Amino acid sequence: MADPVGTGRHRLAELTAAAAAAEVPPAGLCRDLALAYEKAGDPVAAMRWALATTDAGGDLTCWTAAAGVLRRVSAGAAASVVSPGAATSPGAAASAGVAVPARAAVAAAAGGAVVPSPVAGHAARSARVALLGSYTTAQLAALLPLAAARAGVAVEVYECGYGQYRQEVLDPGSGLYRFRPDVVILAVHEGEAALPAFAEDPERAVATEVGRWTSLWEIITARLGARVIQHTFVVPETEALGHLALRTPGSRSSMLAAVNAALGRAAAGGQVAFVDCERLAATVGKRSWFDPRYWHRAKQAVSLAHVPTLARHTAAVLGAQLGTSRKCLVLDLDNTLWGGVLGEEGLAGIALGDGPVGEAFSTFQEYIGRLRARGVILAVCSKNNEADAREAFERHPAMRLRLDDIAMFSASWEDKPTQIRRIASTLGIGLDSLVFVDDNPAEREVVRQLVPEVDVIALPRDPHGYVRAVADYPFFEPAALTTEDTARTEQYRARARAAELAASATSLEEFHRGLEMVATVVPLDELTLPRVVQLIGKTNQFNLTTRRRGEAEVAELAADPSTAVICVRLADRFADHGLVAVVIARRAAEPGGAVLDVDTWLMSCRVIGRTLEDEIAGLIVAEARRLGCSSVRGHYLPTAKNALVADLYPRLGFRPDPAAPADAGRAAPAGGPGVAPADGTGAGATRWVLPVASALNRPGLIRVVDARAGGAAVASASARTMEEVAG
């Protein structure tokens, strides 16, 4: 009788050898490896290859099998997985994983269908996601956990009955409300738009239709406190009016396009995001996106061949809303930003601007520039003489990118994994925020092997395909576009210059004084609210409680006179870093006297370690006095990401709260960060108090200015005024 273990090992060896021969193994091979490792009892490798399937194409059968692998191997008590960035690396060691517990399935009493999360704890975020569809969404619901895991989100999915989305939203007793989702996905198709084939008053028809959907958003956000992701309507490729429809506002196709645009405007700055199905359908071809055979036989509005694409893009938007999008694009130079090798061809010999090949590289640079303009950080990682590489940016007339566009410029003869680690360290971001682009397959593979947290985009050999290769990568998806996003490159360049200053300073205090920092307390208003919500949604490291709050909830809290909201901008002599810190604290009347309870305290990672937290502590105490409180109470709720602030309160002079729950302080279990309990309890939670009469020992290295109505400077240091820094 054949040895089944030996046969299994032989099969694994064959599959692994086949995978090693391809830079991006095909989906079928990834699926087979996932299944083989599952059978061999290796859940780490099984999950890694299941995730790799999502980067290898959109084959529905492969995705379905991979989703099944993740669901099964995570159904036990614990699982270990590698980071999403390692998914495309066939050579990455399975031992790179970390142990995490599997999340339990939602109680069946919720109604509908619930798909348990396959990789909870693996992802940077976890979320309960309700999928409400106007058509058959069973396949989408099955694939969404897999796609979300690749986007860095562990999800539990609730699927409503066919076409029951509106009833579920309107009925407070429905399974949707028992499920208590964090995010509601409205997977709707154009047939649900209540628009006639032709309207005499198209403006009124469009406004009425927009009102139907915005009213649902309002109910979802108000009653459930959930975010909304809506699929836009795909304008059918069949139109009775033909080309005349384009100049006929009352045609259904014109009105559908107008509804999409109006919904986008209505959602600006709120808790509603979109998956642009109209663009996705146009990309793959509308006749392929909608197959009438699937609709008439199974009420499937998206052909099965494209359900993986829809799942992937829906997950990317979900990840963006929850703060898991990638931040930084790391670029090679030779044969990536220009044609040829600068050290061999010389500045005049590289292909850029002139001729078909030169135009391709210029077009690629222009696209990269558009990414930078909307907030993607750019870095250079090149094996080159630095002076020569910089000269190309400064002197070549066809360069579309300039040195000012690059937040971190690394050109040396060190290996690229070493340079990439230094880029992440200097910019103060995680390796899992980086995406690497290089024309050389060997360089791409060494980064995959040695820095598996970094996503690597495989460029085609032909530079004419570079733009499409980067544009097809979905995990730069932005959640919103704020002033801070558009200024991000300058902020991170300032961080790099500050790192140079730190290297030359003789002491940390000298370094901080040399920055000449100014912190400005600004009001929470319509201009700052989107950025505040963005910070609350994505900040992990310096975040004492990691509570996530939407725009409506923050605005409601701020309107309460017993709530103090502190929003702080920081500038130094290198740059204005924008709004970087938020505190939300509420006055609580208690037998021993009123207490200012700090619900939320977070700061952007870009300003950690600059003593800003000490100055903010003084601001919190000042707010406590203003509200007539005798003490300040702070909470620390540990997560997998915020160990950085575990000792913040005791360092600032707070003492353990003697009235804290008996279980406070017990060890937190392993697992993902999740969402902190709203009551301030939970595994490892601690509570701290500080009498407002206590004197805080602030370093005095930052000048603090209160720019709120009636505010005044509350601290002083040897720094210039805000106007001087900004100027």
Side-chain angles (χ1 to χ4, degrees):
M1 179 177 178
D3 178 9
V5 176
T7 302
R9 289 176 178 170
H10 180 69
R11 173 64 172 162
L12 274 176
E14 288 182 341
L15 293 172
T16 302
E23 181 179 2
V24 179
L29 182 54
C30 294
R31 172 204 59 201
D32 292 346
L33 277 160
L35 291 166
Y37 275 111
E38 179 190 11
K39 187 175 182 179
D42 188 342
V44 175
M47 286 188 177
R48 177 167 60 84
W49 284 107
L51 291 179
T53 304
T54 68
D55 290 327
D59 185 277
L60 178 66
T61 59
C62 293
W63 274 61
T64 301
V69 169
L70 263 72
R71 185 170 58 252
R72 290 189 298 272
V73 300
S74 64
S80 296
V81 294
V82 297
S83 68
T88 59
S89 177
S95 60
V98 292
V100 296
R103 296 180 72 188
V106 177
V114 176
V115 182
S117 163
V119 287
H122 147 72
R125 291 281 193 275
S126 59
R128 301 160 72 86
V129 176
L131 180 63
L132 309 184
S134 65
Y135 57 90
T136 301
T137 56
Q139 293 85 0
L140 179 59
L143 300 188
L144 196 56
L146 176 69
R150 178 62 182 91
V153 184
V155 299
E156 290 170 350
V157 179
Y158 170 86
E159 182 189 13
C160 79
Y162 167 75
Q164 297 296 304
Y165 68 95
R166 192 170 291 273
Q167 294 93 316
E168 292 255 348
V169 172
L170 296 177
D171 179 9
S174 69
L176 173 67
Y177 286 85
R178 294 193 294 274
F179 179 69
R180 294 177 291 108
D182 302 303
V183 180
V184 173
I185 298 173
L186 294 174
V188 294
H189 72 299
E190 63 87 16
E192 280 298 298
L195 297 170
F198 182 83
E200 294 290 344
D201 188 351
E203 291 187 3
R204 181 177 180 181
V206 168
T208 300
E209 183 62 14
V210 169
R212 290 180 65 237
W213 297 102
T214 56
S215 65
L216 283 185
W217 301 348
E218 291 167 1
I219 294 171
I220 292 168
T221 56
R223 294 183 184 174
L224 291 165
R227 298 174 183 267
V228 177
I229 297 175
Q230 178 154 345
H231 291 177
T232 64
F233 298 118
V234 176
V235 180
E237 49 92 16
T238 55
E239 170 56 69
L241 286 174
H243 298 289
L244 181 62
L246 185 63
R247 58 188 180 93
T248 307
S251 67
R252 181 175 170 83
S253 59
S254 293
M255 289 189 290
L256 279 170
V259 167
N260 282 339
L263 288 174
R265 291 191 296 271
Q271 288 184 267
V272 180
F274 296 94
V275 177
D276 190 354
C277 294
E278 167 68 7
R279 180 170 62 84
L280 293 180
T283 300
V284 302
K286 291 189 177 182
R287 291 192 177 188
S288 177
W289 180 266
F290 176 80
D291 189 327
R293 295 173 300 174
Y294 289 124
W295 176 253
H296 295 308
R297 293 174 180 175
K299 292 300 179 280
Q300 179 74 44
V302 179
S303 68
L304 296 180
H306 299 303
V307 172
T309 296
L310 182 59
R312 183 172 173 83
H313 284 269
T314 300
V317 173
L318 174 66
Q321 294 303 301
L322 299 179
T324 66
S325 292
R326 300 269 167 161
K327 296 180 180 178
C328 180
L329 183 61
V330 181
L331 298 157
D332 174 50
L333 296 180
D334 291 334
N335 288 312
T336 300
L337 287 190
W338 55 68
V341 178
L342 182 64
E344 298 175 359
E345 309 291 341
L347 189 59
I350 60 175
L352 187 63
D354 295 328
V357 174
E359 288 182 11
F361 285 106
S362 292
T363 300
F364 183 53
Q365 288 194 23
E366 289 169 356
Y367 180 76
I368 297 302
R370 290 195 290 274
L371 290 178
R372 183 210 62 79
R374 62 91 158 158
V376 175
I377 308 162
L378 302 185
V380 161
C381 176
S382 173
K383 288 182 179 178
N384 243 311
N385 291 324
E386 181 173 357
D388 294 340
R390 287 181 176 271
E391 184 183 26
F393 283 81
E394 293 169 340
R395 292 190 54 209
H396 199 290
M399 282 294 294
R400 302 298 194 266
L401 295 174
R402 296 297 176 185
L403 289 177
D404 286 348
D405 296 319
I406 309 300
M408 174 71 179
F409 197 100
S410 178
S412 71
W413 297 105
E414 292 179 294
D415 63 88
K416 293 197 173 180
T418 297
Q419 292 191 57
I420 285 172
R421 292 190 188 97
R422 186 168 57 248
I423 287 170
S425 175
T426 301
L427 296 178
I429 56 179
L431 288 167
D432 59 359
S433 294
L434 306 184
V435 178
F436 180 58
V437 172
D438 194 310
D439 71 291
N440 189 328
E443 297 288 8
R444 297 197 295 261
E445 185 58 25
V446 73
V447 171
R448 289 191 185 98
Q449 295 279 348
L450 300 183
V451 203
E453 302 91 339
V454 176
D455 266 359
V456 179
I457 296 177
L459 292 180
R461 292 185 178 181
D462 187 345
H464 296 93
Y466 283 8
V467 170
R468 181 168 295 172
V470 175
D472 284 347
Y473 177 80
F475 302 121
F476 279 133
E477 184 70 34
L481 189 62
T482 67
T483 302
E484 281 75 12
D485 294 324
T486 58
R488 186 167 291 149
T489 293
E490 180 55 33
Q491 293 161 359
Y492 279 93
R493 287 186 70 237
R495 182 178 294 183
R497 293 196 296 269
E500 296 174 2
L501 175 64
S504 63
T506 59
S507 70
L508 185 59
E509 180 176 341
E510 178 187 347
F511 162 62
H512 284 143
R513 290 195 184 280
L515 288 175
E516 300 180 1
M517 294 178 284
V518 178
T520 303
V521 187
V522 296
L524 181 69
D525 55 25
E526 69 277 5
L527 298 178
T528 56
L529 181 58
R531 172 59 175 169
V532 167
V533 174
Q534 185 184 56
L535 280 173
I536 291 173
K538 73 177 185 179
T539 305
N540 290 313
Q541 292 178 299
F542 195 115
N543 194 330
L544 276 297
T545 58
T546 323
R547 292 183 179 128
R548 310 299 181 187
R549 300 195 186 280
E551 187 168 305
E553 191 174 5
V554 173
E556 183 179 355
L557 283 170
D560 186 344
S562 65
T563 300
V565 179
I566 303 171
C567 308
V568 181
R569 297 179 63 93
L570 186 71
D572 59 36
R573 68 185 178 93
F574 294 119
D576 183 344
H577 298 279
L579 202 158
V580 295
V582 176
V583 174
I584 300 175
R586 293 185 277 194
R587 185 183 190 275
E590 299 190 0
V595 175
L596 187 65
D597 195 82
V598 180
D599 172 275
T600 297
W601 183 358
L602 56 88
M603 291 194 333
S604 169
C605 63
R606 71 178 79 145
V607 296
I608 290 174
R610 292 190 172 203
T611 74
L612 181 59
E613 60 270 27
D614 299 82
E615 303 301 338
I616 289 177
L619 292 169
I620 294 172
V621 169
E623 289 294 322
R625 293 185 182 126
R626 180 182 67 82
L627 292 170
C629 299
S630 60
S631 62
V632 175
R633 180 167 60 212
H635 304 263
Y636 170 63
L637 306 182
T639 73
K641 296 259 187 173
N642 72 351
L644 172 74
V645 291
D647 66 343
L648 178 69
Y649 281 122
R651 184 178 72 76
L652 293 172
F654 285 67
R655 295 290 180 262
D657 183 1
D663 64 346
R666 63 188 173 90
V675 177
D679 60 0
T681 64
T686 56
R687 281 193 355 197
W688 306 84
V689 293
L690 177 75
V692 297
S694 299
L696 290 171
N697 183 24
R698 289 179 295 182
L701 301 173
I702 301 175
R703 176 180 173 81
V704 181
V705 176
D706 194 336
R708 295 172 296 185
V714 296
S716 181
S718 58
R720 296 177 293 177
T721 66
M722 189 67 176
E723 290 76 12
E724 290 172 331
V725 172

